[in-house]
Amino acid sequence: MAGAAAVAGAATAGVMSASWGVTAESVPVQPVVFGAPMPLDPAADLPSPDQLYGVLNGLAAPGVPFRSKSYLVEGGIGLIEGRAADGMMRDATAKGLLPLSFQVADIAPVGPGAASADVTASGPGTPSRTQNITFVDQGGWKLSRASASQLFQLFST
């Protein structure tokens, strides 16, 4: 009786024996690694073209003061920067250079929470210009501070 209890206990504990017809070759073994990070999918961290169009079109919207667009730029837009950008927008509008339209291509990761894209901007009276622009994810995609300066130059053509 004690022997039967030991066999039953071993069976319920998951102990297997070659005498039961189970061998190491018949049991599938899956390697397990603890503490190793799972491979990341870089595409999962990339913004969609629509997200980037939203940022670009929001910044290029004429008649909307830049203090209202601060959420679209990494670190925001300061008072002096906003006034200068508003002046550039007024001048570009008066010259008939706006509205701008954008095309986005080749979105690629450039680091954690950052992506770049080739952005082509064109408008009435302005030649098409393509620049590589960087975007950062800070609770939503925004234009990087350095790329904001590049984009503002489009308004001063």
Side-chain angles (χ1 to χ4, degrees):
M1 178 86 160
V7 170
T12 58
V15 176
M16 296 181 218
S17 163
S19 65
W20 291 341
V22 178
T23 64
E25 290 81 29
S26 66
V27 177
V29 177
Q30 293 183 336
V32 177
V33 177
F34 295 98
M38 295 293 292
L40 299 176
D41 179 8
D45 294 333
L46 291 178
S48 69
D50 286 341
Q51 289 173 305
L52 300 186
Y53 285 127
V55 172
L56 296 166
N57 288 326
L59 284 168
V64 178
F66 270 86
R67 70 178 171 271
S68 301
K69 301 175 184 182
S70 191
Y71 69 97
L72 296 170
V73 176
E74 175 185 29
I77 299 172
L79 181 64
I80 294 171
E81 294 168 314
R83 286 183 180 167
D86 286 339
M88 284 189 274
M89 289 285 281
R90 278 191 302 276
D91 289 347
T93 300
K95 293 176 184 175
L97 303 176
L98 297 178
L100 291 177
S101 62
F102 299 99
Q103 291 188 355
V104 175
D106 300 326
I107 301 171
V110 293
S116 70
D118 291 332
V119 175
T120 302
S122 59
T126 58
S128 293
R129 289 176 36 186
T130 302
Q131 296 179 356
N132 188 266
I133 302 289
T134 302
F135 298 85
V136 294
D137 185 4
Q138 296 181 332
W141 288 97
K142 301 177 180 197
L143 199 62
S144 73
R145 166 112 355 242
S147 290
S149 297
Q150 285 179 271
L151 188 65
F152 291 149
Q153 289 175 8
L154 292 174
F155 302 127
S156 62
T157 358

